[in-house]
Amino acid sequence: MTEKEVKEKEYLSNVLKKVDIRLTEINEAIKLKSDEVVSMNKHMQENKTDMDHLEKNNMREAIFNFSLQGDHSVANRKRLIRLKDTTYFGRIDFEDKETKKFKNIYVGVHNFQDTISNQNLVYDWRAPISSLFYDFELGSGFYETEKGIISGNIALKRQFRIRKGQMEYMLDTDVTIHDEVLQKELGQASSVKMKNIVATIQKEQNAIIRNEEARHLIIQGVAGSGKTSIALHRIAFLLYRFKDAISSEDILIISPNKIFASYISNVLPELGEESVAETSMEEIANEILEYQVSFQSFFEQVAELLEKNDAKLIERIQFKSSNEILKKIDEYINYLENDGFKITDIFVKGKPVPAWFIRESFDKYKRMPLLKRFNEVVREIVENIFRFYKIEIQYKDRTELHNVIRKMFPSYNPRMLYKNFYEWMGKPELLKTKKGNTYEWSDVYAFIYLKYRLEGLQSNSKVKHLVIDEMQDYSVVQYRVLSLLYPCKKTILGDVNQSVNPFSASNLPIIEKVFIGATTMTMLKSYRSTYEITQFTKRISQKVAVEAIERHGEEPQIIFCKNGESEIHQIDSLVSDFEKNNFNSLGIICKTQKQADTLFEALKDKYSLNLLNAISVAFGSGIVITTAHLAKGLEFDQVIVPYCSEKNYQTEPDKQMLYVACTRAMHKLFLTYTNKISPLISV
């Protein structure tokens, strides 16, 4: 062991001793506060008849404050326990150019200060000074503080791997996050949950995480670039940087499904922050529509597309996902305002109300949603009849007046008006409801937009930061609604090359047009897959500009099978081989749910399998059978993509699915097929 290793182990040991002392103090404080709360509650129970109202309130407030202090201590204890396991991962020796002061900066997941000397023994990775570790090599460097830029010289940059309080290795490096450390981390087997990446954040990733200025930040990242992880680390950074203005409760993540939400749920708690709320586009729609409208899910729409390849369905999806339908709905609302409202003279209590007055009253409230204006029209009529004739209109007569005014309008029912919209366009065939008057998925947000124009939409002021994942899978219509519903700051991320439905997908120009003034940052380097797998996936989607990391492995294997039975046997053999190796996860990724279900039935008696479908809520390790749609965002040590025949993979949606499936593989990739290989795979 070298002298510098001895010194580093001494420093680690010293920090851990101080952590233990602090843990003991906190445990004692928690017990004391807990005992105090129990004692005060007991006192209140025993003396409740003797205590006046003021005494009771004071006692309740004291109990509440003690409980809060206890919660704070418990949160601190969690951080200290994490420090005992992974104390820090980096060190920078920095000399301040102006003050000439020299600092040894140890960077970890959490800040830790010596209470006696008030010296920082470990700096939080989000602290301004910690950016030196991510952004600079040896030599000149700087970091920004609220007081200005601090410049100086970096004399040493060292990286560690500490697990369970033991230093496994240390490396001195003169490049940003040394390749050797990155390779060690990337070469590990997968885990059931997404891990934090604070020890290996790259310079370009750090710039995204620490971006404070952008109101709307769009992250376009290729498959395996770590965009979701970076977005979550960005949330952790913003919670640290603006802790007085924003909390975990103020953040909402829109994720593609419950499986993915479960997969990423570990990251923020690992970084010392509370988990944030998660929702989906289906849940948002249900809340807006108050669960009164039944509709197909996005998953069901994609399944229908892959199984039928119906040209009429594609036409409906494309129109209802476009900017054109928004313009047409706006035109339709204009038509309803001007020509749809058939105004006539009426009599109220024998007194005339001319059509011109009704029209004038209606137009007076142009700023209001269309259907909300009729109440104002009735109010204007009632007020004027009283003003000119001193006649007071009672409740029953008001209701009758409402009915008379409403009958001048085509309908008061948004669903009926949505149906009429297609008839007004002369294209009633574009609206095709399913059994039980169920809307197709492409109708849902077009209908919500029309409903907004008719009735208004209550924006959500509680959410201060919205994270939208898989941005490419949402249409311009959905983005329009989201922009109305959530007027807050946003982090929007995804990969335009990984759309599971290219007929409703959004590209960067579309998203940038909705969120005017957004900052777009691009991530081209893929960290997930080996060089060989990344090069292979580039042949499937040739337009993707992706930089493969220099981590080498086996070439992907394309395996021909004589028939369907032989293909099942081949997959069986690959699964059997997986069970003998040291990897944690194997993904068998099919195009459709029907294929996944069939394969599960064929293998379930022989292996312990985890079948993912539309109602699954968690991602597990081991052998997973799923679809490319549900596998998006997930990663596996090994991936098998079955049924890669010409017949199964041929269309543009098929191509997207095949690309997604193959880019899930970290270390090994196998493709099986019968008859002819898909033309989408260039051999």
Side-chain angles (χ1 to χ4, degrees):
M1 192 184 295
T2 64
E3 187 184 343
K4 61 184 178 183
E5 284 176 318
V6 170
K7 283 185 178 177
E8 287 295 4
K9 288 196 171 183
E10 282 175 4
Y11 184 83
L12 175 60
S13 176
N14 181 47
V15 172
L16 289 171
K17 280 176 190 170
K18 291 181 186 294
V19 169
D20 282 332
I21 292 167
R22 187 77 59 83
L23 268 171
T24 303
E25 291 170 353
I26 281 182
N27 285 332
E28 287 171 359
I30 289 170
K31 188 177 184 310
L32 190 66
K33 287 179 177 67
S34 177
D35 291 345
E36 283 284 351
V37 169
V38 170
S39 174
M40 284 190 282
N41 274 321
K42 187 180 176 185
H43 178 76
M44 274 190 75
Q45 288 300 315
E46 290 172 351
N47 301 281
K48 58 185 175 185
T49 53
D50 301 326
M51 296 172 74
D52 63 25
H53 183 67
L54 186 62
E55 283 177 310
K56 284 179 183 176
N57 275 350
N58 287 340
M59 185 67 81
R60 285 192 191 104
E61 192 175 335
I63 290 169
F64 177 72
N65 287 334
F66 266 96
S67 298
L68 273 184
Q69 289 168 22
D71 290 344
H72 182 68
S73 295
V74 168
N76 277 340
R77 183 169 64 185
K78 280 183 186 174
R79 292 191 183 97
L80 290 168
I81 289 167
R82 286 192 198 100
L83 274 171
K84 271 180 71 69
D85 178 35
T86 310
T87 320
Y88 45 80
F89 50 80
R91 171 182 165 180
I92 288 276
D93 288 1
F94 180 73
E95 185 184 17
D96 188 315
K97 189 177 177 181
E98 195 171 306
T99 65
K100 301 299 179 186
K101 284 184 180 176
F102 198 83
K103 273 187 180 178
N104 298 337
I105 303 150
Y106 285 83
V107 183
V109 175
H110 302 301
N111 187 74
F112 182 65
Q113 197 174 50
D114 185 343
T115 48
I116 298 167
S117 66
N118 287 332
Q119 181 188 351
N120 262 36
L121 301 179
V122 182
Y123 286 85
D124 192 298
W125 66 278
R126 298 167 290 184
I129 200 167
S130 299
S131 64
L132 291 167
F133 178 72
Y134 298 112
D135 289 343
F136 295 101
E137 301 169 14
L138 299 183
S140 296
F142 65 87
Y143 62 97
E144 290 185 46
T145 69
E146 290 180 358
K147 295 176 182 176
I149 292 173
I150 309 294
S151 299
N153 185 66
I154 297 167
L156 179 127
K157 186 172 183 180
R158 186 168 287 165
Q159 292 173 271
F160 308 90
R161 182 178 171 87
I162 296 167
R163 293 292 180 270
K164 295 180 180 175
Q166 297 295 314
M167 193 172 79
E168 294 180 5
Y169 63 76
M170 56 172 265
L171 288 167
D172 283 359
T173 176
D174 58 355
V175 292
T176 308
I177 314 304
H178 195 280
D179 276 349
E180 195 172 335
V181 172
L182 186 58
Q183 293 284 3
K184 282 175 187 282
E185 293 297 322
L186 297 176
Q188 288 184 41
S190 65
S191 67
V192 177
K193 300 275 189 183
M194 183 182 279
K195 298 175 287 189
N196 80 66
I197 58 165
V198 288
T200 56
I201 291 170
Q202 305 294 287
K203 185 175 181 177
E204 68 275 13
Q205 295 172 330
N206 194 44
I208 295 170
I209 290 167
R210 292 176 187 262
N211 185 308
E212 298 175 21
E213 291 77 33
R215 176 163 179 76
H216 304 310
L217 182 67
I218 300 171
I219 307 168
Q220 159 55 35
V222 296
S225 58
K227 51 194 171 290
T228 303
S229 184
I230 292 305
L232 292 170
H233 284 68
R234 170 170 160 74
I235 291 302
F237 171 77
L238 294 174
L239 288 170
Y240 173 89
R241 176 69 181 83
F242 302 105
K243 52 181 168 280
D244 295 331
I246 189 168
S247 72
S248 299
E249 292 174 358
D250 304 323
I251 296 168
L252 180 66
I253 298 176
I254 299 176
S255 63
N257 53 60
K258 294 290 181 191
I259 300 162
F260 188 65
S262 163
Y263 179 59
I264 67 173
S265 64
N266 214 41
V267 176
L268 285 170
E270 269 193 12
L271 296 171
E273 300 295 345
E274 295 295 319
S275 293
V276 299
E278 167 275 326
T279 189
S280 66
M281 293 301 281
E282 284 91 346
E283 286 176 27
I284 290 170
N286 266 323
E287 285 174 16
I288 293 171
L289 301 172
E290 298 176 326
Y291 297 87
Q292 299 297 308
V293 178
S294 60
F295 53 81
Q296 176 192 45
S297 70
F298 181 51
F299 181 84
E300 288 166 336
Q301 182 201 71
V302 172
E304 189 178 356
L305 267 173
L306 292 169
E307 286 163 16
K308 293 181 182 175
N309 195 28
D310 180 345
K312 294 287 184 188
L313 172 63
I314 290 169
E315 183 189 356
R316 293 196 297 275
I317 291 170
Q318 285 179 319
F319 174 67
K320 293 168 191 176
S321 304
S322 68
N323 212 40
E324 187 186 349
I325 194 172
L326 294 173
K327 289 177 184 174
K328 285 292 179 188
I329 288 173
D330 289 342
E331 286 174 25
Y332 177 58
I333 293 293
N334 197 42
Y335 156 77
L336 289 174
E337 282 182 347
N338 298 302
D339 304 319
F341 194 13
K342 307 292 185 187
I343 304 171
T344 58
D345 296 339
I346 60 171
F347 285 85
V348 179
K349 288 284 186 180
K351 302 301 178 186
V353 179
W356 65 262
F357 179 78
I358 297 171
R359 167 55 70 182
E360 197 175 78
S361 300
F362 182 73
D363 290 345
K364 185 176 175 182
Y365 296 96
K366 264 192 180 298
R367 288 178 179 272
M368 290 182 76
L370 200 150
L371 295 183
K372 294 283 178 76
R373 295 193 219 168
F374 295 106
N375 288 337
E376 302 304 321
V377 171
V378 169
R379 190 177 54 76
E380 291 275 348
I381 293 170
V382 168
E383 284 180 0
N384 274 274
I385 285 176
F386 182 76
R387 183 181 299 133
F388 291 109
Y389 303 109
K390 303 302 179 205
I391 297 172
E392 196 166 315
I393 308 298
Q394 299 303 317
Y395 179 78
K396 184 184 172 186
D397 296 314
R398 283 192 186 211
T399 303
E400 181 56 34
L401 178 55
H402 266 284
N403 291 334
V404 169
I405 299 294
R406 282 183 181 189
K407 283 175 184 172
M408 297 179 190
F409 201 68
S411 174
Y412 228 64
N413 183 335
R415 288 200 71 160
M416 187 59 71
L417 290 168
Y418 186 63
K419 183 173 182 285
N420 292 351
F421 163 65
Y422 291 97
E423 289 167 2
W424 168 79
M425 278 199 306
K427 294 182 178 180
E429 73 281 359
L430 283 177
L431 181 64
K432 188 176 179 182
T433 52
K434 296 185 174 293
K435 189 179 177 183
N437 210 16
T438 299
Y439 278 144
E440 292 184 317
W441 174 246
S442 56
D443 281 302
V444 179
Y445 277 83
F447 172 63
I448 288 172
Y449 182 72
L450 174 72
K451 200 169 183 295
Y452 149 70
R453 291 300 318 269
L454 292 168
E455 299 178 341
L457 188 66
Q458 185 65 46
S459 65
N460 189 325
S461 58
K462 290 179 184 175
V463 176
K464 293 181 182 175
H465 199 106
L466 182 71
V467 180
I468 305 173
D469 205 351
E470 301 296 350
M471 66 182 184
Q472 71 283 352
D473 284 336
Y474 307 127
S475 69
V476 67
V477 178
Q478 291 170 320
Y479 276 120
R480 185 66 188 276
V481 172
L482 287 177
S483 69
L484 295 164
L485 195 60
Y486 301 102
C488 58
K489 291 185 175 184
K490 297 173 186 71
T491 299
I492 305 164
L493 60 137
D495 179 11
V496 293
N497 304 300
Q498 290 187 68
S499 167
V500 292
N501 178 2
F503 309 116
S504 64
S506 291
N507 55 30
L508 275 176
I510 285 172
I511 300 167
E512 287 169 336
K513 196 174 273 188
V514 176
F515 302 105
I516 295 165
T519 300
T520 300
M521 302 183 87
T522 305
M523 299 168 69
L524 295 176
K525 192 173 282 187
S526 177
Y527 299 97
R528 176 185 297 135
S529 307
T530 62
Y531 178 86
E532 288 73 17
I533 292 171
T534 302
Q535 293 302 105
F536 177 82
T537 59
K538 282 168 79 173
R539 296 189 340 236
I540 297 169
S541 190
Q542 291 162 7
K543 60 185 179 182
V544 182
V546 56
E547 297 171 18
I549 193 152
E550 290 288 333
R551 181 172 68 84
H552 290 280
E554 295 176 17
E555 287 285 346
Q557 291 183 40
I558 303 170
I559 304 166
F560 168 72
C561 307
K562 285 186 285 186
N563 51 43
E565 189 180 331
S566 171
E567 189 163 14
I568 296 289
H569 180 74
Q570 180 62 59
I571 293 166
D572 184 341
S573 176
L574 290 169
V575 173
S576 179
D577 289 344
F578 163 77
E579 291 210 315
K580 294 168 192 168
N581 65 34
N582 295 321
F583 290 126
N584 294 332
S585 64
L586 168 66
I588 304 173
I589 305 177
C590 302
K591 188 178 90 169
T592 68
Q593 192 63 48
K594 283 181 182 176
Q595 290 171 357
D597 293 343
T598 303
L599 197 52
F600 176 77
E601 288 299 319
L603 298 172
K604 69 177 184 181
D605 294 334
K606 196 169 177 183
Y607 303 100
S608 175
L609 305 175
N610 184 5
L611 176 68
L612 300 185
N613 53 34
I615 59 170
S616 299
V617 295
F619 171 61
S621 60
I623 306 158
V624 174
I625 298 182
T626 186
T627 62
H629 184 178
L630 289 178
K632 279 212 316 179
L634 306 179
E635 60 187 25
F636 303 88
D637 292 318
Q638 292 183 205
V639 165
I640 300 169
V641 187
Y643 316 128
C644 293
S645 64
E646 182 180 45
K647 186 180 177 184
N648 194 37
Y649 284 103
Q650 52 177 299
T651 66
E652 186 61 29
D654 294 346
K655 181 180 180 179
Q656 301 284 74
M657 290 296 183
L658 185 61
Y659 179 75
V660 169
C662 293
T663 52
R664 300 308 94 202
M666 294 170 65
H667 309 295
K668 288 187 178 185
L669 174 63
F670 306 93
L671 298 90
T672 63
Y673 73 101
T674 55
N675 299 317
K676 284 187 177 179
I677 187 78
S678 165
L680 303 174
I681 302 167
S682 56
V683 183

